[in-house]
Amino acid sequence: MRNRAIANIVREIDARNIEATIRKLVSFGTRNTLSEQNDPKRGIGAARDWLYAEFLKAAEASNGRMTVEKQSFEQAKAARVPEPTILTNVVATLKGSQPEATDRIYVVSGHYDSMCNSPTDAKCDAPGANDDASGTAAVLEMARVMAKYEFDATIVFMAVAGEEQGLLGSTHFAEQAKQKNWNVDAMFTNDIVGNSLGGNGVRDRDHVRVCSEGVPSNETPAEATTRRSVGGENDSASRQLARFIKETGDAFVPQFKVMMIYRRDRYGRGGDHIPFLERGYPGVRFTEVNEEFRHQHQNVRVENGVQFGDLPEFVDFAYVANVARVNAASLAALGWAPSRPKGVTIVAQRLSNDTELRWDANKEPDLAGYEIVWRETTAAVWTDSKPVGNVTSFTMKGMSKDNYFFGVRSVDKDGNKSPVSYPRPQTRTNN
Ligand SMILES: [Zn+2]
């Protein structure tokens, strides 16, 4: 592990920068996706241009490795888009330096659009301080801090539009990625990550929820048949990603814990990771533990002495900074780790009380080897691991695949570990 570098990244994340970004985004009055695009002071266009300039500033520290673009596209008429509208994602790409890893991409995003009561009201004030200036500010702060570090893999820092219109900006990016055959190895969305006092009266400054799906959104009927036969409904790539984030976050931001939610998002709700999941890219959602619905999607007003509206006075900037730290530590760990092993299988041809695992060799030159991990079938996280050296198969003697879940991860010479790959059954042997 590049422990010191990750610890430095965590320490450099500054709540004051996050506060300044949130207040600046609120100052544009509304960032509704249908609002003014060419007014320099008010509307989503002003926010877009300001974010673009800020990401460019962040890129100055990158020695040319970070590039920034406005990814614009015309969104056709849709349920919450009454007429064709230009949407723009602001995308900062920090290119990885290892030739074998530079095409492996990690995406972290927040949505910079906002809404009041009605998603199609482009005129009302929609400060969106928590939903989602908080996530956008976290991403911008990560870009600022991480731009000067050189990672093996590529990290994309993104502020998307059109979330409130139906995940439109993130869908566009994910679809582009799929069409260009990009190797997006993980996607994090940060959405509503700034309120530490819930509508239930609970103040919790020490946890963040990380939602992950168990069964992949893009699972095929054949894969479902296999899963019913051998298990795996708790072992999607997104679930392995959540476990990786928990392990990394808890290690580097020890006072602030990841609460894994074994569900795609909150109950019946969604976010910008979903278009990625649907296209086969692993993803998770970061969000606060106790929401305050009087401060989401509300016209700014006072009713019976109660302040409604998504105002900056209700955002806990230190809390957002901790969420950003967990994100940044996890992204840095992913960016320096080797790729998770590919082609991992359990040899299921023979009945045996041993478990034989096989996988393809990684291609990184700094690879040290692999670890087998396992847990009992009722355990929530991997509980045990065993280094097995630089090999592409290993047999766990006396441990039956019936009684444990197994996985494989790769490790480089600095000790950086990949997320776990969960094996598929292999019913015929290669030899
Ligand atoms: Zn949101």
Side-chain angles (χ1 to χ4, degrees):
M1 235 350 155
R2 304 199 186 183
N3 283 339
R4 189 175 303 169
I6 296 178
N8 285 343
I9 287 168
V10 164
R11 195 172 48 246
E12 287 174 45
I13 302 254
D14 191 333
R16 288 167 300 186
N17 294 335
I18 286 169
E19 174 175 359
T21 299
I22 292 171
R23 292 190 184 281
K24 184 68 187 181
L25 289 171
V26 169
S27 78
F28 298 116
T30 175
R31 303 185 309 279
N32 185 287
T33 295
L34 311 174
S35 65
E36 189 55 57
Q37 303 229 9
N38 301 312
D39 184 320
K41 291 212 164 59
R42 185 178 174 89
I44 193 159
R48 170 201 64 207
D49 293 346
W50 182 80
L51 283 166
Y52 178 69
E54 290 299 306
F55 279 110
L56 277 178
K57 272 190 225 166
E60 284 170 17
S62 75
N63 225 339
R65 285 172 294 110
M66 183 184 274
T67 51
V68 187
E69 64 158 329
K70 294 180 185 173
Q71 183 188 57
S72 295
F73 62 100
E74 188 180 86
Q75 172 63 47
K77 206 172 147 188
R80 292 178 166 194
V81 183
E83 57 190 62
T85 303
I86 301 293
L87 268 67
T88 303
N89 300 328
V90 183
V91 182
T93 303
L94 181 60
K95 207 163 170 43
S97 298
Q98 187 183 72
E100 292 79 6
T102 188
D103 71 337
R104 177 158 45 94
I105 301 170
Y106 298 101
V107 178
V108 60
S109 85
H111 71 85
Y112 71 98
D113 63 309
S114 65
M115 64 178 276
C116 52
N117 281 11
S118 159
T120 52
D121 184 343
K123 297 292 176 200
C124 59
D125 279 339
N130 190 26
D131 185 9
D132 183 34
S134 66
T136 305
V139 172
L140 177 57
E141 180 64 359
M142 284 181 244
R144 191 189 68 78
V145 169
M146 295 172 78
K148 59 182 171 292
Y149 292 86
E150 236 182 283
F151 298 96
D152 293 348
T154 293
I155 303 176
V156 170
F157 304 87
M158 179 161 75
V160 299
E163 195 273 350
E164 306 291 9
Q165 257 59 26
L167 315 177
L168 302 178
S170 56
T171 297
H172 179 77
F173 184 96
E175 182 58 26
Q176 292 290 307
K178 190 182 172 199
Q179 290 189 8
K180 293 172 185 163
N181 212 11
W182 286 355
N183 176 17
V184 178
D185 202 50
M187 189 275 182
F188 302 179
T189 182
N190 285 269
D191 194 354
I192 314 184
V193 292
N195 170 61
S196 60
L197 176 60
N200 54 3
V202 176
R203 162 87 62 193
D204 184 346
R205 308 190 72 196
D206 306 323
H207 296 86
V208 62
R209 289 184 290 184
V210 173
C211 302
S212 64
E213 67 181 13
V215 174
S217 291
N218 70 329
E219 184 185 61
T220 64
E223 288 166 342
T225 300
T226 301
R227 175 173 53 75
R228 281 191 288 272
S229 162
V230 301
E233 55 281 351
N234 191 10
D235 280 283
S236 67
S238 298
R239 186 60 47 78
Q240 309 306 346
L241 178 64
R243 292 183 178 120
F244 181 93
I245 291 166
K246 175 155 185 70
E247 209 168 295
T248 309
D250 288 1
F252 287 96
V253 197
Q255 75 285 6
F256 190 75
K257 298 289 185 204
V258 169
M259 176 194 279
M260 285 192 290
I261 301 292
Y262 281 5
R263 209 196 304 276
R264 185 175 68 172
D265 202 309
R266 301 144 306 161
Y267 199 96
R269 298 160 74 199
D272 282 323
H273 56 319
I274 292 177
F276 287 81
L277 299 175
E278 287 170 342
R279 288 162 181 81
Y281 297 130
V284 295
R285 181 202 181 111
F286 286 79
T287 200
E288 66 203 28
V289 177
N290 298 286
E291 291 179 78
E292 168 52 279
F293 300 106
R294 290 177 296 190
H295 302 151
Q296 289 180 22
H297 302 183
Q298 294 284 347
N299 285 44
V300 178
R301 66 193 189 279
V302 176
E303 245 175 52
N304 302 322
V306 176
Q307 178 72 59
F308 287 78
D310 192 352
L311 298 165
E313 66 209 67
F314 301 118
V315 175
D316 181 340
F317 306 109
Y319 179 87
V320 184
N322 277 332
V323 176
R325 289 180 182 112
V326 173
N327 273 264
S330 303
L331 287 166
L334 289 166
W336 277 318
S339 150
R340 58 202 158 92
K342 301 293 187 304
V344 182
T345 57
I346 281 185
V347 178
Q349 181 194 42
R350 294 178 293 272
L351 292 177
S352 168
N353 291 318
D354 300 336
T355 300
E356 183 184 353
L357 290 139
R358 296 179 178 201
W359 56 92
D360 302 337
N362 272 48
K363 56 188 179 179
E364 296 88 351
D366 57 338
L367 187 87
Y370 302 89
E371 285 183 4
I372 308 289
V373 298
W374 67 93
R375 66 181 201 275
E376 297 208 356
T377 61
T378 53
V381 298
W382 300 108
T383 53
D384 293 275
S385 67
K386 178 183 178 68
V388 297
N390 197 353
V391 296
T392 55
S393 67
F394 193 82
T395 299
M396 298 295 288
K397 294 276 183 203
M399 292 186 76
S400 168
K401 56 190 172 295
D402 297 344
N403 297 348
Y404 300 93
F405 289 128
F406 291 96
V408 184
R409 64 186 168 204
S410 52
V411 186
D412 73 10
K413 287 174 179 155
D414 292 323
N416 299 300
K417 294 178 186 180
S418 77
V420 169
S421 290
Y422 184 75
R424 295 172 196 277
Q426 182 198 21
T427 49
R428 58 177 195 282
T429 53
N430 291 332
N431 48 24

